[in-house]
Amino acid sequence: MDRNWIVLGGWGIKPQILSGIFGNKAHYLDSNTVMPELLDKDGALKPDWKSIILKYWNNFSNKPLLVAGWSTGAVIAASIANLINPDYLVLLSPTLCFCRKGNYRLGVRRSVLQSMIKTIKTNKEKVIEDFLKACGIHGKFEVIYSETELIAGLKFLEQADLRFENKLPSNSIVVHGTDDLIIPVDAGKGFSEQLKCSFFEINGPHAFFSSQSESDSVKNLINEIFFIDNI
């Protein structure tokens, strides 16, 4: 997709995994390296964490503003969308809330994240390996993130909450894998219903774009929705 997208990736893996969809000209922002900035010394999400994220937008003057995010990156992109007002917003595998809270039952138990945090301190490679397999990502991988970055990302997911947001900018879409083991497809449906954006299902896991053919399917979908007159 030969356009200047700004793309935010997911937890534990470089955002360039999305290059099959968004191409080599995209600006890939690595949410993993930002996470420690968003937490205070006690591990709580800072009240002004969105302002911290917005600092990274000062370098972009793309017109039109094309923004995409996957998983953790989708949560971040959705959180600041009404502040940056993108012309086009693509959210892959998003959720209103990663953890179960109150009557929201589409997230994971906090104990799952707490167990991952505990294990990261002794064997972060095993945690990443198990996570990527659950995402549907197979093959060799290298853990390039520090213990601090990985734990901060999980604490962000534990606390970030979009359940009280009302609406995303126009031209926002959600694309979700039907067999997602990390964020269930029903969470994506609930996200799109509450935030009033179009919802599309793709056969596949959390990383439903992990093969070239699957990436091409998502890329074609985005082109058909947003750019059919310009292809």
Side-chain angles (χ1 to χ4, degrees), residues 176-205:
H176 214 109
T178 54
D179 304 313
D180 195 327
L181 299 179
I182 305 298
I183 298 174
V185 66
D186 284 346
K189 291 177 181 177
F191 180 102
S192 63
E193 289 169 0
Q194 177 168 325
L195 299 183
K196 301 175 178 61
C197 49
S198 299
F199 178 81
F200 300 89
E201 289 185 18
I202 295 283
N203 289 331

Side-chain angles (χ1 to χ4, degrees), residues 1 5-8 22 57 64-70 73-92 94 162 167-175 191 195-200 222 225-227:
M1 188 175 296
W5 287 89
I6 301 170
V7 182
L8 295 93
F22 299 103
W57 251 258
L65 180 59
L66 314 176
V67 178
W70 169 57
V75 174
I76 294 173
S79 296
I80 63 171
N82 288 317
L83 300 175
I84 62 175
N85 196 29
D87 296 277
Y88 302 100
L89 177 64
V90 176
L91 301 171
L92 310 175
L162 299 177
K167 189 177 181 181
L168 288 174
S170 59
N171 282 336
S172 298
I173 66 168
V174 168
V175 187
F191 180 102
L195 299 183
K196 301 175 178 61
C197 49
S198 299
F199 178 81
F200 300 89
I222 294 170
I225 294 168
F226 291 145
F227 308 115

